[in-house]
Amino acid sequence: MQTQGPTTSTSRRPRRRLATFTIAGVAALSLGLGACSAQDGGGTSAPSATSSAATERTAFEVVRASAQQGQEAGSARFALSTTTTATGEATGGQEQTFDVSGEGSFDAEDGAVQMSLTLPAMTGAAGSTVELRLVDEVAYLSGAPLTGEGQWVRLPLDALGGAGLDTGAVDPSAQLQQLRAVADDVTEVPGVEVRGVQTRGYSGTIDPQAAFEALPPEQQTEEARQALTESGLTAIPFTLYVDEQDRPARIVQEVDVQGVSSSVTMDFWDWGSDVEVEAPEAGSVVDAPGFPGAGAEAPAGAPAGA
């Protein structure tokens, strides 16, 4: 369930993707991942011949069912852990490795997300935490080095899209919907225990082109298409662990694009739980400058997210 602070909205809005704002190293997560997030059925590949003994279904069918089960459950808590290694021109030829971790909750139906992110050392604010909220198509960020204590920066998602920033990276529901574009190479692998739950494991690849083509037309922008083409990304390796109800318990993805390698692990639990996300108090919010449609500062008393 999504609730607002001083200004409450009960309207349902089309689901968009959480932005890859420059939260230090989190931008690296968008390489290959965000542009490949699918919202509705996309995979066209034939099922793998590998079958799950427990269910008499193919591994391909279990993975696709997991995406559906997650969508039907709608909300959950999640934890994110990433390790990114970059080399080449961007790093002066030196190899740099940094980690980002976070934990939060989301409600895919309302488009609500709240999350705390721990920044990597390369930001100059190692170990500091950035709070992120997504309410009614507006992202709010708070914490050093972005804001002072108790202050928030507001970033409307349409402004981020207009600036050419990917809006699919640190969105947990986006990661799950990629599974709808799974290729036909899925096999069953040994399960692991995830947060006290014994799981079944499945490994394969996601087809980025199929995922892109499954996006709603308004998200199939020329910029996104060009970024996907220039990345040279042809497959996203993943390992998925599901619980006894086929709901995702953990998904691990490996992406290697133009000198940047990322390993992204996302855990899910408390499926179907209530999620409440409030917009910050209006007086503590300023608009982020430099984005189309975003002003320099929100006037005192203006509605948050208006």
Side-chain angles (χ1 to χ4, degrees):
M1 180 177 65
Q2 172 183 334
T3 62
Q4 295 262 49
T7 55
T8 301
S9 169
T10 57
S11 64
R12 302 280 182 170
R13 300 171 184 258
R15 181 66 173 128
R16 289 179 186 260
R17 302 302 192 188
L18 186 60
T20 313
F21 1 80
T22 53
I23 308 177
V26 178
L29 298 182
S30 67
L31 293 174
L33 295 177
C36 307
S37 301
Q39 286 188 340
D40 50 12
T44 57
S45 303
S48 165
T50 303
S51 298
S52 169
T55 61
E56 299 301 327
R57 292 174 296 168
T58 65
F60 175 90
E61 290 170 338
V62 174
V63 172
R64 290 292 301 271
S66 179
Q68 181 64 29
Q69 288 293 89
Q71 180 178 354
E72 290 179 359
S75 62
R77 295 177 62 191
F78 69 95
L80 170 72
S81 176
T82 78
T83 297
T84 300
T85 301
T87 58
E89 249 180 74
T91 60
Q94 300 296 315
E95 181 176 284
Q96 293 187 5
T97 299
F98 55 93
D99 300 321
V100 174
S101 61
E103 187 168 322
S105 56
F106 71 95
D107 186 325
E109 183 179 7
D110 284 345
V113 179
Q114 59 183 4
M115 186 178 189
S116 295
L117 285 166
T118 301
L119 300 183
M122 66 178 293
T123 66
S128 65
T129 299
V130 169
E131 299 292 330
L132 180 152
R133 298 181 191 177
L134 180 60
V135 180
D136 279 347
E137 299 289 294
V138 178
Y140 300 90
L141 292 168
S142 178
L146 300 173
T147 70
E149 184 176 356
Q151 298 299 305
W152 294 79
V153 171
R154 174 170 54 196
L155 296 166
L157 296 193
D158 54 359
L160 288 162
L165 293 180
D166 168 56
T167 55
V170 287
D171 181 351
S173 64
Q175 305 305 312
L176 296 179
Q177 292 310 306
Q178 291 184 33
L179 297 174
R180 294 182 180 274
V182 65
D184 61 357
D185 58 355
V186 184
T187 59
E188 191 166 4
V189 298
V192 298
E193 187 174 295
V194 178
R195 298 178 183 267
V197 175
Q198 188 57 45
T199 67
R200 305 188 311 277
Y202 302 90
S203 184
T205 59
I206 294 165
D207 181 346
Q209 188 60 44
F212 179 83
E213 291 171 358
L215 288 168
E218 66 272 14
Q219 294 187 23
Q220 296 185 34
T221 65
E222 191 55 39
E223 291 83 359
R225 188 184 302 276
Q226 183 177 351
L228 179 58
T229 300
E230 291 178 354
S231 74
L233 193 66
T234 59
I236 302 174
F238 75 91
T239 302
L240 171 71
Y241 299 96
V242 302
D243 65 17
E244 61 181 5
Q245 298 181 48
D246 288 342
R247 298 174 303 191
R250 173 175 293 168
I251 182 168
V252 181
Q253 294 179 322
E254 307 284 344
V255 178
D256 191 345
V257 178
Q258 298 178 348
V260 178
S261 299
S262 292
S263 175
V264 182
T265 299
M266 203 172 268
D267 287 359
F268 302 90
W269 68 99
D270 281 355
W271 283 103
S273 56
D274 288 338
V275 173
E276 298 183 1
V277 184
E278 293 184 348
E281 294 286 339
S284 66
V285 177
V286 296
D287 285 332
F291 290 94
E297 186 171 346

